[in-house]
Amino acid sequence: MAAPGENLRIDGDRLWDSLMEMAKIGPGIAGGNNRQTLTDEDAEGRALFQSWCEAAGMTMGVDAMGTMFATRAGEDSQALPVYVGSHLDTQPTGGKYDGVLGVLGALEAVRTMNDLGIKTKHPIVVTNWANEEGARFAPAMLASGVFAGVHDLDYAYGRKDLEGKSYGDELKRIGWQGSEEVGARKMHAYYELHIEQGPILEAEGKDIGVVTHCQGLWWLEFTLTGRAAHTGSTPMNMRVNAGLAMSRIFEMVQEVAMAAQPGAVGGVGQVTFSPNSRNVLPGSVVFTVDIRSPDQAKLDGMRAEIERRAPEICAELDVGCAVEPVGHFDPVTFAPELVENVRKAAERLGYSHLDIISGAGHDACWAAKVAPATMVMCPCVNGISHNEDEEISKEWATAGTDVLFHAVLETAEIVA
Ligand code: HGY
Ligand code: MN
Ligand code: MN
C-alpha cells in the first residue's frame, strides 16, 4: 500500500481556528484555560466537540466513564479501528493546548480526509478521554485506566474532589454518562499528538518529537497528623507540628530525586492544611508526592526510600504519618512499528525530528496496555505547561498534525 504523498497536508488555519474556538470555553484568569473535568465548562467543550465531529460526518459513542468516541467509517467494517485522540479537560490554571491539540488535531486529520475524499480500510475513531489530568479527581488518566482494565468502574465513580463530590455523581450531573461498557471497544492501534510540556524540542530546534517511551510515575498521598494548636501561645517544645514534618519531607523528596539523577523527578503540587487558619498549627496536612523516572529500578527505589524515611521524620516530631499510593504506571515502551511510522512521516514531510521520552503521563500510556500505541509531540515555548502561559506556534501545531495525519493513514491503510 503506497505511503501518503508528501503533499498530503492538513489545513493549519482551520486547526488553529478550532483551537482558539475551544479555548473560549472555560477561560482561565491569565489567558489560559480552566476547563476541569466534569464541570459545566467541560460539558460545554464536549458539546462543541460533538457538534464538530457530527459536522464532519462522524457518529458519536460515549462510554460509562464519559469518554467520547467519534467514528469515521472505514471501507472494511470488520477491521478494528485506528483510535486517535487525547483529552479536552484542563488543569485549573491550564494552557490552551495540553490535550486539546491531540483531540482537535485528530479531528483535523479526519476533516482533511473528508476534503480529499480519502477512504481507509480501517475506521478512524477520534477520542476525547475523560479526566486525563487527575487534577480534580485523582488519579490522572482515570478513564483510559478503566478502559485498559487498570481501575474498575466502581473505584473510578467513587473518586472524590476536594469538595467531596464523586466522579460518578458529577458525570451524571453534567449528562455525559454514556451507556457503552468501558473497554469493550477493541483497537487496531492508537496514536496521540501532544505538546511536549518540556524544553527539549524547542532547545534542540526540532519540529517533531518521535516518542519512543514514557516515564513511569508514582503519586503517594501522605496524611500527616499533628495537633491543632495556637501559633502564639503554644511553646515550641509543646508543638506537634505536622507542617514542619511536611517541610522536612519535601526537602527529603528533593534530595532523593537529585540523588537519582539523571532521569528522575520528584516534587509536590498540592497540599491541604487543616484547619488552614493562619494562627492555628495544622491538625492535619495532606499532600501528594509525584515521583517519575523512565527507569523502573530508579522509580521503585525512590518510592521505597521516601516511604522508609518519611515515617522516621514524623516520628522525631511525634507526628502521625500515613501514606497511600493514589496513582501509578510503570515506564512505557511504545510500539516500534508505530514509532517508525511517525519517524518516516516526519522525514517524508521534511520536518526535523528527535526521538524523545515523554516526561508527562498520557492516555497513550494506558492505551499501550491494550493495543499498539505511540505519540507524536510538538515543541512548546520555553517548555512551559500546566501554566496559563503555555504557548505553541501555529507552525508547530500544523507540523505535528501533518505527521499525525500521515502516521494514521499509514496504519489505517488508504484504499481510495
Ligand atoms: O500528570 C501528568 O503527567 C499528566 O499531565 N496528567
Ligand atoms: Mn495532557
Ligand atoms: Mn496535563
Side-chain angles (χ1 to χ4, degrees):
M1 191 257 329
E6 64 181 55
N7 297 322
L8 276 184
R9 303 214 181 214
I10 58 99
D11 181 336
D13 290 334
R14 179 172 59 192
L15 169 65
W16 196 257
D17 290 348
S18 297
L19 286 165
M20 294 306 110
E21 197 62 30
M22 182 61 73
K24 291 175 187 169
I25 299 175
I29 51 175
N33 274 113
N34 180 4
R35 195 172 53 242
Q36 295 181 66
T37 200
L38 308 190
T39 58
D40 294 338
E41 293 77 15
D42 181 21
E44 196 183 335
R46 287 165 170 267
L48 177 61
F49 172 61
Q50 172 153 359
S51 69
W52 284 342
C53 289
E54 290 171 348
M58 292 194 272
T59 51
M60 185 63 75
V62 183
D63 74 10
M65 276 297 290
T67 294
M68 301 171 72
F69 301 98
T71 299
R72 181 182 197 260
E75 294 306 291
D76 175 354
S77 59
Q78 301 308 307
L80 289 179
V82 174
Y83 284 68
V84 205
S86 192
H87 61 92
L88 292 174
D89 67 310
T90 76
Q91 287 285 333
T93 54
K96 300 192 280 286
Y97 311 99
D98 171 4
V100 185
L101 176 64
V103 177
L104 300 188
L107 172 61
E108 175 52 36
V110 165
R111 284 169 167 170
T112 304
M113 289 178 205
N114 293 344
D115 292 346
L116 300 175
I118 290 174
K119 295 188 188 312
T120 57
K121 173 187 174 190
H122 296 265
I124 308 280
V125 178
V126 175
T127 305
N128 169 31
W129 295 104
N131 192 35
E132 187 282 339
E133 290 294 354
R136 187 181 173 198
F137 301 100
M141 300 118 70
L142 183 61
S144 52
V146 178
F147 186 93
V150 174
H151 308 301
D152 65 36
L153 191 62
D154 288 347
Y155 162 81
Y157 273 24
R159 302 305 291 162
K160 289 192 169 34
D161 67 9
L162 291 178
E163 293 172 16
K165 294 176 182 171
S166 75
Y167 186 97
D169 289 347
E170 284 294 280
L171 183 64
K172 293 183 189 94
R173 182 186 66 80
I174 66 165
W176 279 92
Q177 182 187 32
S179 55
E180 285 189 19
E181 179 197 344
V182 184
R185 288 172 171 264
K186 302 304 169 202
M187 298 177 171
H188 177 57
Y190 176 79
Y191 284 97
E192 180 163 356
L193 167 64
H194 207 287
I195 63 171
E196 180 198 339
Q197 299 182 291
I200 298 167
L201 293 175
E202 185 185 42
E204 297 292 329
K206 301 295 183 185
D207 301 318
I208 298 294
V210 178
V211 190
T212 57
H213 301 79
C214 183
Q215 66 177 349
L217 160 154
W218 278 106
W219 278 1
L220 306 175
E221 185 178 88
F222 280 87
T223 301
L224 306 188
T225 306
R227 185 170 59 231
H230 198 297
T231 51
S233 54
T234 309
M236 293 303 280
N237 66 355
M238 288 180 63
R239 296 181 177 208
V240 184
N241 194 334
L244 177 60
M246 175 205 76
S247 62
R248 291 181 180 173
I249 289 171
F250 283 16
E251 282 288 349
M252 180 266 287
V253 169
Q254 175 75 10
E255 181 196 313
V256 168
M258 293 311 290
Q261 295 307 309
V265 292
V268 177
Q270 182 186 68
V271 179
T272 304
F273 267 47
S274 299
N276 201 33
S277 169
R278 58 180 57 82
N279 48 2
V280 179
L281 291 169
S284 96
V285 177
V286 180
F287 56 89
T288 301
V289 171
D290 180 327
I291 51 175
R292 310 195 192 197
S293 175
D295 179 305
Q296 186 75 53
K298 278 189 181 179
L299 180 66
D300 294 340
M302 286 196 287
R303 176 189 175 187
E305 186 174 353
I306 289 166
E307 290 190 342
R308 178 177 59 78
R309 291 173 62 180
E312 292 169 356
I313 288 169
C314 289
E316 284 170 15
L317 297 168
D318 292 329
V319 167
C321 179
V323 58
E324 180 196 354
V326 293
H328 171 240
F329 56 88
D330 287 333
V332 175
T333 299
F334 288 123
E337 71 276 16
L338 302 190
V339 172
E340 183 58 16
N341 285 345
V342 170
R343 195 176 289 115
K344 284 189 305 192
E347 286 164 0
R348 184 183 316 129
L349 290 157
Y351 293 127
S352 59
H353 59 87
L354 176 72
D355 283 13
I356 195 168
I357 294 172
S358 176
H362 304 283
D363 295 306
C365 297
W366 288 142
K369 284 183 79 71
V370 294
T374 199
M375 299 184 72
V376 182
M377 280 188 174
C378 76
C380 54
V381 175
N382 299 326
I384 291 173
S385 184
H386 284 195
N387 181 315
E388 294 203 48
D389 289 343
E390 180 183 278
E391 199 50 71
I392 63 174
S393 69
K394 186 191 294 190
E395 292 69 29
W396 284 341
T398 302
T401 307
D402 274 338
V403 169
L404 178 76
F405 175 48
H406 276 234
V408 165
L409 286 179
E410 188 86 37
T411 302
E413 298 180 40
I414 300 173
V415 294

